Amino acid sequence: MSPTRRGGLQAMAALALAAAAPALRAAPGGLPSAADGDSSPVWDGLRARLFGERPIAVQDAVRLVVPRRAAYGASVPVKIVPALAQTPERWVKRLTLIVDLNPSPVAAVLELTPALGLAEFETRLRVDQYSHVRVVAELSDGTLHTDSRYVKTSGGCSAPPNRDAPERIGSTLVRLLEPARRGALAAAEVAVLHPNDTGFELNQRTLLYIPPHFVRSMSLRWAGAPLFDAELDFSISENPSWRFHFVPQGAGELRAEIVDTHDARFVGRLAVEPAA
Amino acid sequence: MHRRRCHTLLVALALAPAALAACASPGAAAPRALADGVFWVAGSGGAPAPANGGRIGNSGFVVGPAGVVAVDTGTSYAHGRALIAAIRATTERPLALALITHVRPEALFGATAFREAGVPVLMHAQAARLMRSRCDGCLTQLRQALGDAAMAGSAVIAPDRVVDGAATLAEAGRPLELIFPGHASGPGDVALWDPARRVLFAGGLVENGRVPAIDDADLPGWQRALAALTALQPKVVVPAHGAAAGPEAITATAAYLAALDQRARALVADGASLIDVPEAASLPAYAGWDEYDVIHRRNASIAFLRAERALLLGEMPR
């Protein structure tokens, strides 16, 4: 196991330990956890529109891990860490990922199934300016839970997306992050080559805005059964990447179906033979 | 501290009027002669902050029989004004041209002062495009970092002249070579080579004791460019930041870029998470370089994302 993977596991362990601590404390790689009052005018409006008057708990059912100071604003890694496993009795049913001050604050809405084993996800966000990033988790019992981080990005002018190989847009890679074992939680990643153009960028040659063109949805299935469906917006970084889990009981295929705003469809596949 | 450095320079170089003018303004360094008629104006390094007035990058100028060619204009209108004053205090020859070698704020915004003084500004066409598409944002960031007063009069201006490739500049009255190595540290980054004095103004292509930023770079192109610069066998290299040095600054820049690229590819192959990359990509050999904590962490993320892209394109073993 590589040092970086081990570091991830240590962070997980630290998170598990921290679950018993009071609500306001520093989390690994982030600012203190959301407490009541960790709000913004944008969030107040969004919250009413997305969730109405429903109460949203600020406890430890879900946690967001974000670097305290993101090294690169065009691609800020965020990790959503649930405190509960996905079981048929109680599971995380929906995740909403929000960047308060982005032009399109709702970055992703994920519909989940218990087949994930664990509703832990990692992706990258464009963070335009210092902003709260939030996750809202809806559990199968209908309760809502949230966590947020205030993200600062290091200064500098972000380079535009790489558009060198337009004919390769949609190239999709599904890979395992470690060898899979039968009946055990396996970690995988899906990534698709795509500029994920926001529509807010000037073409350096023509000085006209480059039209928006981004990945709109992503569906993952394992051995024919759905793992998650994601509706995505351009707050997701160039070359969208999602890390997720599944539980292989035997050999099968991981299949990713991806659709972009031009209605182009891309498929990524990986045959998995878990070790006994 | 600046005063002491200025004093030392005064004693060492006896450039009295110019040095006095420059030293009267905190953070401004006096021109230093690198060779006959070739001068370097040192930036402070670090990140733009009120203490350094944003004067973090190197500038310079070449005095020829017919006139003066200035290299990189400074971070602000005020900085450009001070540079013009320092040049005029050094020589009576006319200021004929201001060359902007690369698209970083510390090279760009002083151009407003050169324009005001009637000095034509020259850039590579690709650099001009990059600047137009994004540098209003850089200006906003600088106003936040330095305050509106420090940046007063600064603006993004269109260059008076653009080149598409290598060129020989005649303005100084002796030939100066404008080198365009293709997309390297940036899409339109150029260097100025004084073949008679063997001095290279390397612009964004070379750093000395500072982490080079790869945001706009093509890494293979950059390595090719550095090999080409080494082949010139310069006696003196003026980097974008840090002290003027010998050709070892070119070698050190190349070594850092190679180490960064190798580490980023290894991390991608390893399945590392982008969250862990800034720490996992640490290169202790370079930890003492200026801006390591900010620029190297950012570079590591960018290099990792590019290596991921190579994996998506099937250019890396899976």
Side-chain angles (χ1 to χ4, degrees):
Chain A
M1 186 190 281
S2 75
T4 51
R5 303 269 333 141
R6 220 175 6 253
L9 287 175
Q10 280 165 357
M12 283 289 299
L15 284 170
L17 285 174
L24 191 66
R25 37 121 190 61
L31 295 164
S33 247
D36 289 326
D38 186 23
S39 193
S40 78
V42 174
W43 167 236
D44 290 339
L46 274 174
R47 177 193 164 132
R49 283 178 14 226
L50 290 168
F51 307 105
E53 299 291 300
R54 297 164 67 188
I56 305 180
V58 186
Q59 270 115 25
D60 296 321
V62 65
R63 206 180 278 284
L64 203 55
V65 180
V66 182
R68 182 188 300 273
R69 178 170 280 282
Y72 184 51
S75 200
V76 176
V78 295
K79 192 172 188 178
I80 300 163
V81 183
L84 64 154
Q86 296 289 87
T87 64
E89 295 73 44
R90 191 162 177 257
W91 76 93
V92 182
K93 194 169 73 171
R94 182 180 296 120
L95 291 169
T96 307
L97 193 57
I98 293 161
V99 186
D100 283 9
L101 296 186
N102 271 14
S104 158
V106 181
V109 180
L110 275 63
E111 304 286 342
L112 315 182
T113 70
L116 289 160
L118 182 69
E120 185 185 281
F121 290 90
E122 193 183 317
T123 189
R124 296 84 182 262
L125 298 173
R126 290 181 163 125
V127 180
D128 218 27
Q129 49 184 311
Y130 289 11
S131 172
H132 282 95
V133 176
R134 306 174 190 276
V135 64
V136 179
E138 179 171 347
L139 304 195
S140 55
D141 61 12
T143 56
L144 296 172
H145 306 262
T146 188
D147 192 19
S148 70
R149 290 282 179 280
Y150 190 68
V151 176
K152 296 182 172 183
T153 55
S154 292
C157 306
S158 282
N162 185 324
R163 302 188 184 87
D164 285 351
E167 73 286 355
R168 300 295 303 277
I169 284 177
S171 297
T172 302
L173 176 65
V174 182
R175 65 170 177 158
L176 293 179
L177 294 167
E178 55 205 9
R181 293 198 339 273
R182 190 172 306 214
L185 199 63
E189 174 184 60
V190 55
V192 54
L193 192 85
H194 208 290
N196 250 34
D197 282 316
T198 62
F200 293 96
E201 193 203 323
L202 278 176
N203 178 322
Q204 288 177 31
R205 277 180 191 283
T206 63
L207 297 187
L208 295 167
Y209 283 99
I210 294 162
H213 178 207
F214 54 91
V215 168
R216 200 178 52 160
S217 73
M218 198 179 262
S219 295
L220 264 290
R221 302 175 87 76
W222 162 246
L227 291 173
F228 70 94
D229 290 325
E231 290 294 316
L232 306 171
D233 211 324
F234 57 74
S235 284
I236 305 292
S237 303
E238 173 189 8
N239 303 332
S241 154
W242 287 83
R243 291 184 171 200
F244 60 95
H245 294 81
F246 69 111
V247 185
Q249 299 296 349
E253 183 184 69
L254 268 180
R255 181 184 165 92
E257 290 189 16
I258 292 156
V259 182
D260 77 3
T261 49
H262 292 180
D263 282 337
R265 289 168 185 275
F266 317 113
V267 174
R269 290 189 183 88
L270 179 72
V272 179
E273 292 262 2
Chain B
M1 185 203 135
H2 279 301
R3 294 229 166 270
R4 196 172 323 125
R5 198 174 69 186
C6 286
H7 181 73
T8 314
L9 285 173
L10 282 178
V11 172
L13 294 168
L15 289 168
L20 281 172
C23 288
S25 155
R32 296 178 58 169
L34 300 171
D36 184 23
V38 183
F39 295 86
W40 160 48
V41 182
S44 64
N52 59 33
R55 302 164 187 268
I56 62 172
N58 291 324
S59 299
F61 55 97
V62 179
V63 182
V68 182
V69 173
V71 183
D72 292 334
T73 60
T75 308
S76 61
Y77 168 75
H79 194 173
R81 283 282 301 260
L83 188 59
I84 292 170
I87 293 169
R88 288 190 170 149
T90 306
T91 176
E92 291 176 354
R93 306 247 166 87
L95 233 175
L97 185 71
L99 168 68
I100 293 174
T101 57
H102 63 295
V103 183
R104 294 266 168 224
E106 48 272 33
L108 292 176
F109 298 125
T112 44
F114 284 84
R115 162 150 304 174
E116 178 187 70
V119 181
V121 175
L122 172 69
M123 284 175 94
H124 191 277
Q126 293 278 16
R129 280 199 196 105
L130 182 59
M131 175 180 73
R132 283 164 74 198
S133 71
R134 110 176 151 195
C135 286
D136 285 323
C138 308
L139 207 46
T140 306
Q141 285 184 353
L142 275 171
R143 287 196 188 102
Q144 286 168 349
L146 302 174
D148 289 342
M151 292 305 294
S154 311
V156 177
I157 60 153
D160 305 279
R161 281 176 54 194
V162 293
V163 290
D164 271 317
T168 300
L169 303 181
E171 284 77 2
R174 59 187 180 83
L176 298 173
E177 300 298 333
L178 188 66
I179 296 169
F180 176 60
H183 186 174
S185 45
D189 287 9
V190 296
L192 187 72
W193 170 234
D194 183 337
R197 307 289 185 269
R198 308 203 74 74
V199 178
L200 176 71
F201 288 94
L205 291 159
V206 177
E207 296 284 11
N208 183 19
R210 178 181 172 105
V211 178
I214 67 161
D215 308 54
D216 302 320
D218 178 278
L219 287 181
W222 199 346
Q223 291 288 7
R224 287 193 297 273
L226 292 170
L229 295 182
T230 301
L232 293 171
Q233 299 184 308
K235 269 192 199 152
V236 184
V237 178
V238 180
H241 307 83
E248 70 279 358
I250 304 174
T251 315
T253 300
Y256 167 81
L257 294 172
L260 171 73
D261 192 44
Q262 190 183 12
R263 178 65 60 85
R265 286 168 183 274
L267 287 168
V268 168
D270 200 31
S273 157
L274 181 60
I275 290 183
D276 300 321
V277 162
E279 275 73 34
S282 66
L283 295 172
Y286 301 97
W289 280 16
D290 187 22
E291 290 297 286
Y292 175 86
D293 284 346
V294 174
I295 300 178
H296 176 66
R297 289 168 63 88
R298 186 175 163 91
N299 281 350
S301 301
I302 294 168
F304 179 86
L305 292 164
R306 290 183 190 169
E308 270 189 347
R309 186 173 186 275
L311 189 71
L312 272 172
L313 286 166
E315 295 164 0
M316 250 173 79
R318 294 187 176 183

